[in-house]
Amino acid sequence: MESDLAKLRTLLTEHNDLESAASVLRWDQATYMPAGGSHARGRQLATLDRLAHDRIADPEVGRLLDRLQSRGSGSDAESDGARLLRVARRDHERAVKVPAAFVSELANHRTESYECWVKARPANDFALVRPLLEKTVELSRRYASFFAPFEHVADPLIGDADPGMKASVVRALFAELRAELVPLVKNITSQAPADDSALRRTFPEDRQLAFGRFLAEKFGYDFSRGRQDMTHHPFMIRFGADDVRITTRARIDDLSEALFSTLHEAGHALYEQNVDHAWEATPVGQGASAGVHESQSRLWENIVGRSRGFWNAFYGNLQKAFPDELADISLDAFYRAINKVERSLIRTNADEVTYCLHVILRFDFELDLLEGKLQVKDLPDAWRERFRADFGIVPETDADGVLQDVHWYDGFVGGAFQCYALGNVMSAQFFDAALRAHPSIPHEISEGRFDTLRGWLTTNIYRHGRTLLPVEIVERATGASLSVAPYIAYLKKKYGELYSL
Amino acid sequence: MESDLAKLRTLLTEHNDLESAASVLRWDQATYMPAGGSHARGRQLATLDRLAHDRIADPEVGRLLDRLQSRGSGSDAESDGARLLRVARRDHERAVKVPAAFVSELANHRTESYECWVKARPANDFALVRPLLEKTVELSRRYASFFAPFEHVADPLIGDADPGMKASVVRALFAELRAELVPLVKNITSQAPADDSALRRTFPEDRQLAFGRFLAEKFGYDFSRGRQDMTHHPFMIRFGADDVRITTRARIDDLSEALFSTLHEAGHALYEQNVDHAWEATPVGQGASAGVHESQSRLWENIVGRSRGFWNAFYGNLQKAFPDELADISLDAFYRAINKVERSLIRTNADEVTYCLHVILRFDFELDLLEGKLQVKDLPDAWRERFRADFGIVPETDADGVLQDVHWYDGFVGGAFQCYALGNVMSAQFFDAALRAHPSIPHEISEGRFDTLRGWLTTNIYRHGRTLLPVEIVERATGASLSVAPYIAYLKKKYGELYSL
């Protein structure tokens, strides 16, 4: 007779296959689907999502988990089996606790809100989306209520993206980070801005893409188990450990667009390609959290990809790829250009130093909205006020302010932003730990070799998938709890040298 | 309360969505999937196929169909509702009648047999696959047995691909066709062969593909609801009426490869794009049968695409696309080259006149194998003997004979071949009827206009989807029952002129 564990694995695999199939349909939707396909695709995706939800919410999954745990499977809490059961239970309970009627109400609201925002942003019309955003806050609070009790209403929302993270912890980390970043940004931007005009020349797209692939392969992204396609918004997507794809966009008049988005997505892809194959098609066979994922995209994009050593290795190749365009640009000028810091309005265009401030502002407002301390009607003013405090500038329009991100206006508030700043924070802490273990890494990077770094990351982060919580990964990999200190130190050292602070 | 009909539609839509999702995964597998993806993809497809089967086989579908039919829904047998119920019942019963254990045994056998053939064909080793082919015949007979009683053991197999068709009817049609084709081929091939060297020059692939797309658009294939990609074996695939894709392959040294496979697949795509949108996501929202489908691919590829009038309209464009390559080739020489008739060994390379003989040979052997009149061990000899009788030549190896097609060696015998010859037969009968209704069609084709023809085909064939059986489509559209006479007349007239018979 089939064992309970085998039965559970069968149900979990089916859930995984349905989710992976939905991912293939989403990838196609973003890359190659003709315009006419959108209506049927929406319906097909709704069907797959519903069936995937039904599978993980299946009462039989709950019964099997109960039986396995009562019989002592997983009594050794550190065993692989126990970890799989814990994560499966977490996913099962999350699926079970939210009533079907609410899921459907929220889905309808999300569509309506998104469609409204698509009109409101170009029209700079916050009033148009305000009633919907008010409902969004209410629905997000109701969603959280299904997971009561909690310390903070945002905890269940944060926990969906970053398991184990809580509002209180994140808020404290972010306050510390902000206190350091605001004066640092002020200090840097009081100097003459770096000249990045070299990146704004004309760069044929096919050569940009070929160069990005060349670097991604150098990192260790395996194209026999992945590929790169063009999309409006770049992303990484996993259909299995041996089919992990990235997408890119390119601008003929901006060398940094395709280049750094490729390095960023390649970082995500390295993570997914190196999750232990033993976890394939189970709930733990993927990256641990949004924050840990972002730590890897940012580590490869920024800590490696915008470092002096990295371009020491590859600037010659870049000049060969664009001989006419870059002949007169020195390595030093290029390095300064790709690390230009400026006070800007738009999060997605922000540099390494200012980026977290954009995120923290949004995170704080999310908590305030969910707590009821801030009303939606007061949000645009609050945005301007906070922006002035953090950046010393104020957006002239809501389109460039409170309306700029799709998050919130896609019908849900809470949990979507913290990963970006957490990822930056973790990236430096991980990189420091890798350097302590292998002091040769900076030298290897300056020779274009990444095996030691990728090996350390695989051993300490990638292979574990979701078997460890983000905080466990950080503690085991770095020997310390999550801290902003390494990231602050990294920024101060790098930009202190660049801007002679 | 939701009506029974609404409930049924919901279940049928879910079935359709699962099948469409599987199609997207198959399309990706054939076009863009990296090599590493194949293992996970196989598992994902098996899951989707199983869930789709479970949905249509759901006893609730049977109960709803019973209730609806007993309450008189569909009492008007000609109503749309009645037609949908009939087709849904046919699909439901087909799914229910085959035991799960057999489905799984057959699936395993198919994989094993295919993998064996992949080695046996290049090694020219029929003995290697013989035991598996013997099991294939036995399994195919067992499959048929689930649908007993029947007139001929092949009827359920033929009916899966071509609903309503029977071995006795197809055998009689094919005997009549063969009796005409054998002397016609003999007659033509006794003359000097046409010179098709003009097609074997060097033609840059991107221009070939662009020209194919240009012609497909002229036919009326709507690329805002479709697209073209490259694959090893060309195919058409439907994800919905507004997302119907084709694939193509190109050879730099053979102009006809990409050109005619594009016209062929565009014919399939025109059919699917023009099924009535009212049937979207139901079991009748797709082409009626393999044979009717093939009639459309062959009509657009051959009757239109290899006609004198068609190239009257477009040979100038082709010469403009390939000015160096075709400057010295007259329209007449080109027309003769694309209609070269020769006695050849390989079905998939065969011309319009010999093609059906390849198919009829296989169909006859299928019936003989299933009846037990022919033993697998005697098949290679039988193949050579029949080939000599029909073509006047004999393949030197089994690789070019009995081992050439993947069909049979993919683990199933029966039902896969007849559609190709039925399609040719129907194509001429449909085209004749369209001409009787609109005598202007040949003139319009020679001016590069296809609206009248496509309109007639849409009204009489495409829009109906699977609501009509193939024989009903033929009778309603042409006013006569299926007959080989129009196809014979078409071939005799066209090739009589080309070869001055």
Side-chain angles (χ1 to χ4, degrees):
Chain A
M1 210 190 96
E2 207 188 9
S3 74
D4 283 345
L5 187 61
K7 280 187 206 157
L8 180 66
R9 287 288 291 247
T10 300
L11 290 171
L12 295 177
T13 299
E14 198 168 291
H15 171 250
N16 176 278
D17 288 341
L18 285 162
E19 289 206 319
S20 298
S23 293
V24 176
L25 267 63
R26 290 196 162 87
W27 172 87
D28 175 71
Q29 191 174 35
T31 51
Y32 296 112
M33 190 185 79
S38 60
H39 181 75
R41 185 56 51 88
R43 200 194 55 242
Q44 291 152 1
L45 281 169
T47 296
L48 291 179
D49 289 347
R50 184 168 44 74
L51 292 174
H53 175 272
D54 290 353
R55 204 62 55 196
I56 191 70
D58 190 340
E60 179 66 7
V61 169
R63 280 191 293 272
L64 290 166
L65 285 168
D66 289 344
R67 282 216 296 272
L68 285 163
Q69 289 176 321
S70 75
R71 257 191 260 130
S73 299
S75 60
D76 173 5
E78 297 293 300
S79 71
D80 282 352
R83 294 180 179 284
L84 173 62
L85 295 185
R86 271 207 299 279
V87 174
R89 181 172 291 281
R90 200 203 300 156
D91 291 352
H92 171 67
E93 291 185 348
R94 195 171 64 192
V96 165
K97 283 182 173 170
V98 185
F102 179 84
V103 171
S104 134
E105 183 184 355
L106 181 63
N108 292 334
H109 170 70
R110 295 188 78 146
T111 305
E112 191 189 357
S113 178
Y114 175 77
E115 284 169 2
C116 181
W117 172 75
V118 166
K119 291 179 213 126
R121 192 192 169 183
N124 191 36
D125 188 353
F126 182 76
L128 192 64
V129 287
R130 196 186 116 185
L132 288 165
L133 186 54
E134 282 163 351
K135 186 164 180 203
T136 296
V137 173
E138 186 234 314
L139 286 171
S140 303
R141 292 176 59 91
R142 265 171 63 201
Y143 176 85
S145 73
F146 301 126
F147 301 90
F150 40 68
E151 193 182 291
H152 190 286
V153 62
D155 286 352
L157 287 47
I158 293 171
D160 276 357
D162 293 293
M165 290 286 172
K166 289 175 160 194
S168 57
V169 175
V170 179
R171 178 136 62 178
L173 283 169
F174 283 4
E176 206 182 330
L177 187 55
R178 182 179 174 223
E180 294 280 356
L181 289 178
V182 170
L184 182 63
V185 170
K186 201 168 184 177
N187 204 342
I188 292 174
T189 54
S190 67
Q191 301 194 27
D195 175 8
D196 64 348
S197 60
L199 308 175
R200 310 269 179 272
R201 298 173 174 182
T202 302
F203 301 94
E205 288 189 6
D206 54 342
R207 277 188 274 153
Q208 287 192 52
L209 295 173
F211 190 75
R213 281 194 296 271
F214 162 75
L215 292 180
E217 279 195 304
K218 288 282 178 190
F219 281 172
Y221 176 41
D222 179 354
F223 277 91
S224 78
R225 304 188 292 131
R227 53 178 288 122
Q228 182 184 39
D229 299 273
M230 304 301 287
T231 48
H232 191 60
H233 293 290
F235 60 85
M236 179 280 305
I237 196 161
R238 173 197 173 106
F239 308 145
D242 296 324
D243 191 352
V244 176
R245 308 188 189 180
I246 62 172
T247 73
T248 307
R249 69 177 159 205
R251 288 182 53 173
I252 196 165
D253 60 352
D254 184 353
L255 182 61
S256 60
E257 178 80 42
L259 178 57
F260 291 105
S261 83
T262 300
L263 302 189
H264 182 98
E265 302 306 334
H268 284 303
L270 284 173
Y271 193 171
E272 292 295 341
Q273 284 196 332
N274 289 296
V275 173
D276 193 327
H277 276 68
W279 299 124
E280 182 71 1
T282 75
V284 294
Q286 57 179 302
S289 71
V292 179
H293 240 300
E294 208 62 20
S295 81
Q296 295 313 300
S297 55
R298 303 290 282 182
L299 185 151
W300 289 100
E301 175 195 355
N302 290 334
I303 298 186
V304 175
R306 292 186 203 261
S307 72
R308 191 69 163 73
F310 180 76
W311 289 106
N312 212 53
F314 294 110
Y315 190 60
N317 298 85
L318 186 66
Q319 282 187 311
K320 252 178 242 156
F322 299 101
D324 299 335
E325 296 82 355
L326 294 176
D328 61 330
I329 306 298
S330 70
L331 168 55
D332 197 59
F334 178 76
Y335 175 61
R336 290 183 61 84
I338 62 172
N339 287 296
K340 179 180 181 177
V341 177
E342 61 189 332
R343 295 182 293 190
S344 62
L345 299 172
I346 306 297
R347 172 182 66 90
T348 54
N349 300 339
D351 55 77
E352 220 179 345
V353 182
T354 56
Y355 191 84
C356 285
L357 286 176
H358 290 274
V359 172
I360 297 168
L361 173 159
R362 287 155 175 79
F363 180 79
D364 288 345
F365 284 152
E366 284 190 335
L367 296 195
D368 291 348
L369 286 166
L370 290 165
E371 287 171 23
K373 268 170 53 183
L374 175 65
Q375 302 304 309
V376 167
K377 70 175 169 52
D378 301 323
L379 188 57
D381 280 340
W383 187 287
R384 282 185 282 272
E385 197 178 313
R386 170 72 173 259
F387 215 83
R388 189 191 318 272
D390 285 5
F391 294 87
I393 56 173
V394 177
E396 281 180 25
T397 64
D398 287 336
D400 284 345
V402 68
L403 284 171
Q404 73 181 259
D405 291 303
V406 64
H407 307 300
W408 299 353
Y409 305 101
D410 62 358
F412 203 75
V413 159
F417 282 113
Q418 76 279 342
C419 68
Y420 299 111
L422 287 175
N424 279 331
V425 168
M426 286 180 199
S427 70
Q429 190 166 344
F430 287 136
F431 194 72
D432 271 13
L435 260 53
R436 282 197 305 277
H438 303 285
S440 61
I441 285 175
H443 175 69
E444 292 174 19
I445 290 177
S446 73
E447 289 185 335
R449 294 186 290 119
F450 306 96
D451 289 358
T452 307
L453 174 59
R454 196 185 60 253
W456 187 91
L457 293 167
T458 297
T459 303
N460 290 280
I461 304 171
Y462 300 166
R463 69 186 174 91
H464 299 298
R466 289 174 82 208
T467 58
L468 300 176
L469 288 171
V471 289
E472 293 178 295
I473 292 174
V474 170
E475 283 166 16
R476 288 172 179 226
T478 73
S481 42
L482 184 59
S483 156
V484 300
Y487 189 58
I488 295 294
Y490 157 75
L491 289 179
K492 283 190 170 168
K493 180 164 186 297
K494 175 175 175 180
Y495 290 90
E497 285 167 12
L498 268 162
Y499 285 86
S500 317
L501 300 179
Chain B
M1 209 190 96
E2 205 186 8
S3 74
D4 284 343
L5 187 60
K7 279 186 206 157
L8 180 66
R9 289 286 291 247
T10 301
L11 290 171
L12 295 177
T13 299
E14 199 168 290
H15 172 250
N16 176 278
D17 288 342
L18 285 163
E19 288 205 320
S20 298
S23 293
V24 176
L25 267 63
R26 289 197 163 86
W27 172 87
D28 176 71
Q29 192 172 35
T31 50
Y32 296 112
M33 190 183 77
S38 60
H39 181 74
R41 185 56 50 89
R43 199 193 57 243
Q44 291 151 1
L45 281 168
T47 296
L48 291 179
D49 289 347
R50 183 168 44 74
L51 292 175
H53 174 273
D54 290 353
R55 204 62 56 196
I56 192 71
D58 190 341
E60 179 66 8
V61 169
R63 280 191 294 271
L64 289 167
L65 284 168
D66 288 344
R67 281 217 297 272
L68 284 162
Q69 289 175 322
S70 75
R71 258 193 260 128
S73 299
S75 59
D76 174 5
E78 297 293 302
S79 71
D80 282 352
R83 294 181 179 284
L84 173 62
L85 294 187
R86 270 207 300 278
V87 175
R89 180 172 292 281
R90 199 203 300 156
D91 290 353
H92 171 67
E93 290 184 348
R94 196 170 65 192
V96 165
K97 283 182 173 171
V98 185
F102 179 84
V103 171
S104 134
E105 184 185 355
L106 181 62
N108 291 334
H109 171 70
R110 296 188 79 147
T111 306
E112 192 189 356
S113 178
Y114 175 77
E115 284 170 2
C116 181
W117 172 76
V118 166
K119 292 179 212 123
R121 191 190 172 185
N124 190 37
D125 189 352
F126 182 75
L128 191 64
V129 288
R130 195 185 118 186
L132 288 165
L133 186 55
E134 282 164 351
K135 188 167 178 201
T136 297
V137 174
E138 186 236 314
L139 287 172
S140 302
R141 292 178 57 91
R142 264 172 64 202
Y143 177 84
S145 74
F146 302 125
F147 301 90
F150 39 69
E151 191 181 292
H152 188 285
V153 61
D155 286 352
L157 287 47
I158 293 171
D160 276 357
D162 293 293
M165 290 287 174
K166 288 176 160 195
S168 57
V169 175
V170 179
R171 180 138 56 181
L173 283 169
F174 283 5
E176 206 182 330
L177 187 55
R178 182 179 173 221
E180 294 280 356
L181 289 178
V182 170
L184 182 62
V185 169
K186 201 169 184 175
N187 204 342
I188 292 174
T189 55
S190 67
Q191 300 194 27
D195 176 8
D196 64 349
S197 61
L199 307 175
R200 308 268 179 273
R201 297 173 173 181
T202 302
F203 300 93
E205 288 189 8
D206 54 342
R207 277 188 272 155
Q208 287 192 53
L209 294 172
F211 191 74
R213 281 195 297 272
F214 162 74
L215 292 181
E217 279 194 304
K218 287 282 177 191
F219 281 172
Y221 177 41
D222 179 354
F223 277 91
S224 79
R225 305 188 291 130
R227 51 177 290 122
Q228 181 185 40
D229 299 273
M230 303 301 288
T231 49
H232 191 62
H233 293 289
F235 61 86
M236 179 281 304
I237 195 161
R238 173 197 172 104
F239 308 145
D242 296 324
D243 191 352
V244 177
R245 308 187 188 181
I246 63 172
T247 72
T248 307
R249 68 178 160 205
R251 288 182 53 173
I252 195 165
D253 59 353
D254 184 352
L255 182 61
S256 59
E257 178 80 43
L259 178 57
F260 290 105
S261 84
T262 300
L263 302 189
H264 182 98
E265 302 307 333
H268 284 303
L270 284 173
Y271 192 171
E272 292 295 341
Q273 284 194 334
N274 289 296
V275 173
D276 193 327
H277 277 68
W279 299 124
E280 182 73 358
T282 76
V284 295
Q286 56 180 295
S289 72
V292 179
H293 240 300
E294 209 61 22
S295 81
Q296 295 314 299
S297 54
R298 304 290 282 181
L299 185 152
W300 289 100
E301 175 195 354
N302 290 335
I303 298 186
V304 175
R306 291 186 204 260
S307 72
R308 190 70 162 74
F310 180 77
W311 289 106
N312 212 53
F314 294 111
Y315 190 61
N317 298 85
L318 186 66
Q319 282 186 311
K320 251 178 242 156
F322 300 102
D324 299 335
E325 296 83 353
L326 294 176
D328 60 331
I329 306 298
S330 69
L331 168 55
D332 198 61
F334 178 77
Y335 175 62
R336 289 183 62 85
I338 61 172
N339 287 296
K340 178 180 182 177
V341 178
E342 60 189 332
R343 296 183 292 191
S344 63
L345 299 172
I346 306 297
R347 173 182 64 90
T348 54
N349 299 339
D351 56 77
E352 218 179 350
V353 183
T354 57
Y355 191 85
C356 285
L357 287 177
H358 289 276
V359 172
I360 296 169
L361 172 159
R362 286 155 177 79
F363 179 79
D364 288 345
F365 284 152
E366 284 189 337
L367 297 195
D368 291 347
L369 287 167
L370 290 165
E371 287 172 22
K373 266 171 51 183
L374 175 65
Q375 301 306 306
V376 167
K377 70 176 169 52
D378 300 323
L379 188 58
D381 280 339
W383 188 286
R384 282 185 282 272
E385 197 178 313
R386 170 74 175 259
F387 216 83
R388 188 191 319 271
D390 285 4
F391 293 87
I393 57 173
V394 177
E396 281 181 23
T397 64
D398 287 335
D400 284 344
V402 68
L403 283 172
Q404 73 182 262
D405 291 303
V406 64
H407 307 300
W408 298 355
Y409 305 101
D410 62 359
F412 204 76
V413 158
F417 281 113
Q418 76 279 342
C419 67
Y420 299 111
L422 287 175
N424 280 332
V425 168
M426 288 180 199
S427 70
Q429 190 166 344
F430 287 136
F431 193 72
D432 272 11
L435 260 55
R436 281 198 305 276
H438 303 286
S440 62
I441 285 176
H443 176 69
E444 291 174 20
I445 290 176
S446 74
E447 289 184 335
R449 293 184 291 122
F450 307 97
D451 289 358
T452 307
L453 174 60
R454 197 185 59 254
W456 186 91
L457 293 167
T458 298
T459 303
N460 290 281
I461 303 171
Y462 301 166
R463 68 185 176 92
H464 299 297
R466 288 174 81 207
T467 58
L468 301 177
L469 287 171
V471 289
E472 293 179 294
I473 293 174
V474 170
E475 282 166 16
R476 288 172 179 227
T478 73
S481 43
L482 184 59
S483 156
V484 300
Y487 189 58
I488 296 294
Y490 158 75
L491 289 179
K492 284 190 170 165
K493 178 163 189 296
K494 175 173 174 179
Y495 290 91
E497 285 167 14
L498 267 161
Y499 286 87
S500 318
L501 302 179

